[in-house]
Amino acid sequence: MASAPSSTSELPRTGGTHLPDSARDLVKILVTGPFGVGKTTLIDAVSEIRPLHTEEHLTEASAHVDELDGVREKETTTVAIDFGRISLAGGIVLYLFGTPGQQRFRTLWDDISYGALGALVLVDSRRIDASFDVLGLVEEAGLPYAVAFNAFPDAPSHHTSEQLRAALDLEPGTPMVTCDARDPRSSIDALLALVQHLIDDRPAEAR
């Protein structure tokens, strides 16, 4: 992996199912975060192929198991993975694997995360504490990661970057950005922050 594109204007969208001829670095990335944070939405927004989803409707039975505070309007949930693909300039192709956000799907984590080079962790600033378990899984797996606060319309705006970083207990070098998971450019910018972090984190001779 050489260098990340510097702007979204350099991001070709192939629109097809085949890899572009320029594909050089194929990278598995996790898109993770707590239940209802926007993982499926982000993959939908950026994928150049038709995304794969394994969603089911929420039932009254699951309402007693899953934490629905702050996401009462949500009607479906990912029960295995979401999958999409995005080709970046410079021959970098990201394979995006969205993970289920509920603790009851914890047994899938090792299988989904196997072979991933990094993770984009989506966070809802209205319920920051819901992200702790996922961050723990990412750190336990030893994956480099970036944090993206999904800009929900009613998200509080009075928190500073320093306060948010402290609330999540992030290392100084961990990228932290804001994105709108519904917006392709905003979501790709968040992925680029992760890609650049992965590049910067590699030994110089491997870049």
Side-chain angles (χ1 to χ4, degrees):
M1 200 186 298
S3 61
S6 59
S7 71
T8 55
S9 63
E10 300 176 20
L11 300 174
R13 301 294 294 272
T14 65
T17 57
H18 300 289
L19 282 173
D21 294 337
S22 59
R24 181 166 54 88
D25 292 310
L26 310 181
V27 183
K28 180 179 180 179
I29 295 295
L30 299 188
V31 178
T32 190
F35 175 59
V37 78
K39 303 179 293 292
T40 299
T41 300
L42 184 143
I43 291 175
D44 269 345
V46 304
S47 182
E48 65 195 9
I49 61 174
R50 183 178 180 181
L52 168 68
H53 297 306
T54 53
E55 288 211 318
E56 296 291 343
H57 283 280
L58 290 169
T59 65
E60 289 187 13
S62 67
H64 296 293
V65 177
D66 299 326
E67 179 55 63
L68 299 180
D69 288 346
V71 288
R72 290 288 174 183
E73 71 283 359
K74 188 168 173 60
E75 297 179 349
T76 61
T77 182
T78 298
V79 295
I81 62 166
D82 294 316
F83 175 77
R85 189 188 78 202
I86 178 70
S87 299
L88 308 180
I92 299 173
V93 178
L94 304 184
Y95 289 102
L96 307 175
F97 288 76
T99 69
Q102 299 99 305
Q103 186 63 28
R104 59 192 171 103
F105 296 115
R106 169 66 177 85
T107 53
L108 291 173
W109 176 264
D110 291 339
D111 290 335
I112 298 174
S113 62
Y114 181 79
L117 290 190
L120 181 67
V121 182
L122 289 181
V123 175
D124 183 347
S125 62
R126 302 170 301 177
R127 47 191 186 99
I128 287 178
D129 57 346
S131 302
F132 294 156
D133 286 345
V134 172
L135 284 169
L137 288 174
V138 172
E139 292 175 351
E140 182 181 319
L143 290 175
Y145 64 94
V147 168
F149 283 88
N150 193 5
F152 289 94
D154 58 343
S157 58
H158 59 277
H159 298 310
T160 66
S161 296
E162 291 76 16
Q163 288 172 327
L164 293 172
R165 185 174 289 276
L168 290 172
D169 194 25
L170 299 180
E171 295 289 337
T174 302
M176 191 181 75
V177 299
T178 299
C179 76
D180 183 340
R182 301 166 299 181
D183 179 72
R185 287 188 175 274
S186 177
S187 297
I188 291 172
D189 281 343
L191 288 167
L192 285 176
L194 171 62
V195 170
Q196 190 61 60
H197 181 51
L198 295 179
I199 293 169
D200 293 343
D201 208 39
R202 299 184 78 185
E205 63 273 14
R207 294 178 191 171

